[in-house]
């Protein structure tokens, strides 16, 4: 069910939520967090769909805020939608569209709608503030999620992350690496236990997760790592492969299809491994599993990224 509330206030939206609860609709019991989504007009549905899917694992209240610039034909008004039941997954979704000066106080728009005594997570699926921890929504959130790949300059966004990191920050460039990091760690847990001499990461252009992977390898292995972002010819965007060099021969983990990677090791048959490209829902659900600061991510961002030199042309 979708309840439209044009030209309204947050107090009226909160009252409608109470009415829905009293009438036997969706209830707030069992909600484990509040997810704040900051997006732009017309791009809300992709983020809402991902949040609805993730809510099946993390029941939550979702508040979607779009602030429309004063140049829009509508000015100084708040329109809202309340979605429950089949239109909201295992959550309840509140969509706020703030026009003009109404959107100048983002904290004030959402504070009265937060679930009491639950963590607050802020997510920018598109353009994000330069320093999210000091933004209006970031100041009230325990966890702040960005996506450097969605920025106009993805690699510059990584540099910004490195300079502005604050505990509680997270980025999907890191979350997209979970399967890669898991497979590479598992390979190095097997004999022969020889040290890695150097490492190489290849990727399609402007894919920030590749540089993040190179930074993680450098910190973990303490060896020279190259990051080549010039690979072309793939029908998907992402990391192409990782090559770990040691005396007995190279270890190569290469994505051969969007769902499959191939592992090559000396004196062993090739292995095809299920390693699908991660969806927005997968990344969001993983970040919501842990709301405490990720110390490894913090080290990779602040210590590892500045050390990585990339090949981009």
């Amino acid at each position: 069910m979708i309840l439209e509330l044009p030209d309204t206030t947050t107090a009226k939206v909160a009252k409608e939520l109470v009415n829905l609860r009293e009438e036997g609709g969706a209830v707030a019991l069992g909600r484990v967090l509040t997810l704040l989504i900051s997006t732009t007009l017309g791009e809300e549905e992709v983020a809402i769909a991902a949040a609805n899917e993730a809510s099946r694992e993390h029941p939550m209240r979702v508040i979607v805020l779009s602030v429309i610039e004063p140049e829009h034909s509508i000015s100084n008004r708040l329109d809202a939608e309340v979605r429950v039941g089949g239109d909201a997954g295992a959550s309840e979704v509140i969509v706020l569209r703030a026009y003009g000066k109404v959107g100048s106080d983002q904290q004030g728009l959402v504070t009265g709608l937060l679930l009491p005594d639950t963590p607050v997570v802020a997510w920018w699926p598109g353009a994000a503030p330069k320093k999210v921890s000091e933004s209006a929504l970031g100041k009230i959130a325990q966890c702040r999620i960005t996506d450097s790949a969605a920025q106009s300059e993805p690699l510059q966004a990584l540099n910004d992350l490195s300079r502005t990191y604050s505990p509680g920050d997270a980025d999907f460039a890191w979350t997209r690496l979970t399967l890669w990091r898991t497979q590479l760690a598992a390979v190095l847990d097997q004999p022969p236990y020889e040290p890695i001499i150097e490492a190489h990461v290849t990727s399609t252009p402007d894919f920030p997760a590749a540089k993040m992977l190179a930074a993680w390898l450098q910190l973990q292995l303490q060896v020279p790592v190259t990051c080549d972002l010039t690979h072309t010819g793939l029908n998907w965007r992402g990391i192409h492969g990782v090559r770990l060099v040691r005396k007995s021969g190279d270890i190569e983990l290469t994505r051969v299809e969007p769902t499959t990677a191939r592992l090559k090791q000396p004196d062993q048959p090739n292995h095809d491994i299920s390693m699908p490209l991660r969806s927005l829902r997968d990344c969001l659900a993983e970040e919501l599993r842990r709301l405490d600061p990720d110390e490894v991510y913090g080290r990779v961002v602040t210590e590892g990224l500045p050390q990585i030199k990339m090949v981009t042309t």
Side-chain angles (χ1 to χ4, degrees):
M1 180 179 74
I2 300 179
L3 177 64
E4 301 278 355
L5 298 171
D7 197 6
T8 188
T9 64
T10 53
K12 292 179 181 178
V13 175
K15 184 177 180 181
E16 287 298 333
L17 286 170
V18 173
N19 291 339
L20 287 171
R21 198 155 55 239
E22 291 178 346
E23 291 171 5
V27 298
L29 299 177
R31 304 289 186 251
V32 298
L33 59 91
T34 301
L35 176 64
L36 304 177
I37 303 177
S38 178
T39 185
T40 56
L41 185 66
E43 298 183 359
E44 303 97 336
E45 295 303 326
V46 173
I48 291 172
N52 284 346
E53 288 296 315
S55 72
R56 303 185 191 283
E57 183 177 339
H58 311 279
M60 56 188 164
R61 174 172 290 178
V62 179
I63 303 173
V64 184
L65 176 61
S66 299
V67 176
I68 294 86
E69 297 301 322
E71 291 77 11
H72 195 275
S73 58
I74 301 174
S75 62
N76 302 331
R77 193 175 88 177
L78 178 67
D79 292 342
E81 294 176 7
V82 178
R83 305 184 185 185
V84 295
D87 294 294
S91 63
E92 46 198 10
V93 178
I94 304 162
V95 182
L96 303 176
R97 298 184 178 94
Y99 298 86
K101 295 181 180 179
V102 174
S104 61
D105 181 12
Q106 295 186 27
Q107 278 192 26
L109 288 173
V110 303
T111 299
L113 302 173
L114 303 178
L115 289 174
D117 303 320
T118 59
V120 176
V121 178
W123 174 31
W124 291 264
K130 286 292 185 181
K131 189 168 185 178
V132 292
S133 61
E134 294 184 359
S135 65
L137 299 183
K139 288 179 179 179
I140 59 176
Q142 286 76 36
C143 180
R144 300 165 294 274
I145 305 171
T146 56
D147 189 352
S148 53
Q151 309 307 305
S152 58
E153 298 183 25
L155 299 179
Q156 180 59 45
L158 279 189
N159 294 334
D160 294 338
L161 288 178
S162 182
R163 291 193 302 267
T164 64
Y165 172 76
S166 180
D169 291 353
D171 192 89
F172 281 167
W174 177 247
T175 321
R176 292 187 179 100
L177 299 179
T178 299
L179 299 179
W180 285 95
R181 293 189 295 122
T182 300
Q183 291 297 335
L184 291 170
V187 169
L188 295 181
D189 280 341
Q190 302 171 10
Y193 303 106
E194 290 182 314
I196 302 299
I197 301 171
E198 58 187 71
H200 305 273
V201 178
T202 57
S203 169
T204 56
D206 286 332
F207 194 68
K211 186 178 180 182
M212 194 83 78
L213 180 58
W216 175 73
L217 287 169
Q218 200 282 326
L219 280 179
Q220 297 298 318
L221 302 175
Q222 295 296 307
V223 299
V225 180
T226 63
C227 184
D228 185 344
L229 301 183
T230 63
H231 195 85
T232 57
L234 301 180
N235 59 359
W236 67 86
R237 182 173 178 236
I239 296 170
H240 171 248
V242 176
R243 181 165 60 91
L244 304 179
V245 179
R246 57 186 180 186
K247 288 183 179 180
S248 63
D250 295 354
I251 300 170
E252 296 184 45
L253 182 62
T254 306
R255 189 184 294 281
V256 293
E257 295 179 3
T259 59
T260 308
R262 182 163 295 154
L263 176 63
K264 296 181 180 179
Q265 300 181 82
D267 303 320
Q268 293 191 32
N270 295 343
H271 294 282
D272 285 349
I273 301 167
S274 176
M275 202 163 73
L277 295 168
R278 308 206 75 192
S279 67
L280 205 60
R281 180 266 175 208
D282 295 332
C283 293
L284 180 60
E286 180 176 326
E287 286 298 340
L288 296 181
R289 288 182 199 128
R290 57 169 302 162
L291 301 181
D292 57 318
D294 188 335
E295 295 181 1
V296 177
Y297 167 76
R299 287 191 59 223
V300 169
V301 169
T302 58
E303 301 174 28
L305 283 178
Q307 302 181 48
I308 300 300
K309 296 181 178 180
M310 298 175 297
V311 178
T312 58
T313 56

